[in-house]
Amino acid sequence: QVGLQESGPGLLKPSQTLSLTCTVSGASISTGTYFWGWIRQAAGNGLEWVGRIWTSGDPDYNPSLKSRVRILVDTSKSQFSLRLTSVTAADTAVYYCARGHWGMFESWGQGTLVTVSS
Amino acid sequence: EIVLTQSPGTLSLSPGERATLSCRASQYISSTYLAWYQQKPGQAPRLLIYGASSRATGVPARFSGSGSETDFILTISRLEPEDFAVYYCQHYGTSPPIFTFGPGTKVDIK
């Protein structure tokens, strides 16, 4: 059974860059049938897709974040990462990493809270 | 851009009752790419239904999904205490690739 664990700083100042890593265990990150994604959830709000990446292809990003987001994969470490530049308070959220298949996210990490505050 | 609308916003029911949750798309979507998730407080979402009607691994049979085109339904036949949660529908658009979530329906105890 696949495991996903998010890690990274929990507190950022406005204009800084958010960097999170998701470590995958119990399954190969290189399996071509799966993609790896990030979803976020602001407090009391719904779910917002941030982006996803295939280990063998280009990433796809939410158009509303595309100019600020980058997702990379490191198969040697069984990790994928999220970078979001120029953060503001509106980027404060719980960030989840997840494994996807077809058009859904079938396995999720527990989530990590990122707060943007001066 | 496809927008998903879920109704009702909150559904107050008692254990043992039937829950019917609606997800409506702003335009036709393929049922292949319609999923439902359950989220409990402090937890990550859990995939319940994919392809509009297929249960994910380990999901109890009391959960069922149906629908097509623009209207989709998640039914919980008899609510168990652990089913009180927020439920989200989600669509995957292929061109361009984009994942869209509905705003959620909260099922709480009456």
Side-chain angles (χ1 to χ4, degrees):
Chain A
Q1 183 171 338
V2 66
L4 300 105
Q5 180 67 58
E6 305 89 350
S7 59
L11 181 62
L12 294 172
K13 296 184 186 303
S15 80
Q16 290 185 326
T17 295
L18 179 159
S19 293
L20 295 176
T21 298
C22 183
T23 301
V24 178
S25 59
S28 171
I29 198 171
S30 300
T31 303
T33 54
Y34 295 105
F35 55 83
W36 308 91
W38 291 95
I39 302 98
R40 70 182 186 178
Q41 184 172 36
N45 285 10
L47 301 164
E48 180 182 31
W49 173 64
V50 176
R52 67 105 181 248
I53 191 166
W54 301 84
T55 52
S56 58
D58 292 332
D60 300 302
Y61 301 128
N62 186 321
S64 68
L65 300 169
K66 191 171 185 176
S67 64
R68 299 193 293 129
V69 68
R70 188 176 185 193
I71 296 176
L72 298 173
V73 63
D74 186 340
T75 56
S76 68
K77 295 182 179 179
S78 202
Q79 294 177 334
F80 61 104
S81 62
L82 169 68
R83 280 174 54 89
L84 182 67
T85 60
S86 304
V87 298
T88 69
D91 296 309
T92 294
V94 174
Y95 286 75
Y96 296 100
C97 63
R99 185 176 79 170
H101 183 60
W102 281 98
M104 74 268 191
F105 294 99
E106 44 133 47
S107 298
W108 296 63
Q110 65 185 22
T112 188
L113 174 62
V114 177
T115 301
V116 180
S117 174
S118 55
Chain B
E1 177 189 348
I2 290 173
V3 176
L4 299 178
T5 302
Q6 291 188 242
S7 61
T10 301
L11 191 56
S12 298
L13 295 168
S14 300
E17 289 193 296
R18 181 184 188 90
T20 302
L21 287 67
S22 171
C23 176
R24 177 163 290 178
S26 58
Q27 58 186 277
Y28 168 89
I29 61 173
S30 170
S31 60
T32 299
Y33 295 124
L34 192 284
W36 290 91
Y37 300 82
Q38 175 193 67
Q39 187 178 33
K40 298 179 182 179
Q43 297 185 17
R46 170 197 180 195
L47 177 68
L48 293 178
I49 300 287
Y50 63 94
S53 60
S54 297
R55 275 189 300 277
T57 303
V59 174
R62 63 181 181 272
F63 291 91
S64 63
S66 63
S68 62
E69 298 189 1
T70 60
D71 293 295
F72 299 86
I73 298 289
L74 174 69
T75 301
I76 311 171
S77 58
R78 286 178 57 86
L79 282 164
E80 297 288 340
E82 62 267 28
D83 299 336
F84 292 92
V86 180
Y87 293 84
Y88 296 95
C89 60
Q90 174 250 309
H91 171 252
Y92 171 61
T94 58
S95 197
I98 185 167
F99 296 83
T100 303
F101 290 90
T105 290
K106 182 178 182 180
V107 179
D108 67 12
I109 301 177
K110 188 174 181 180

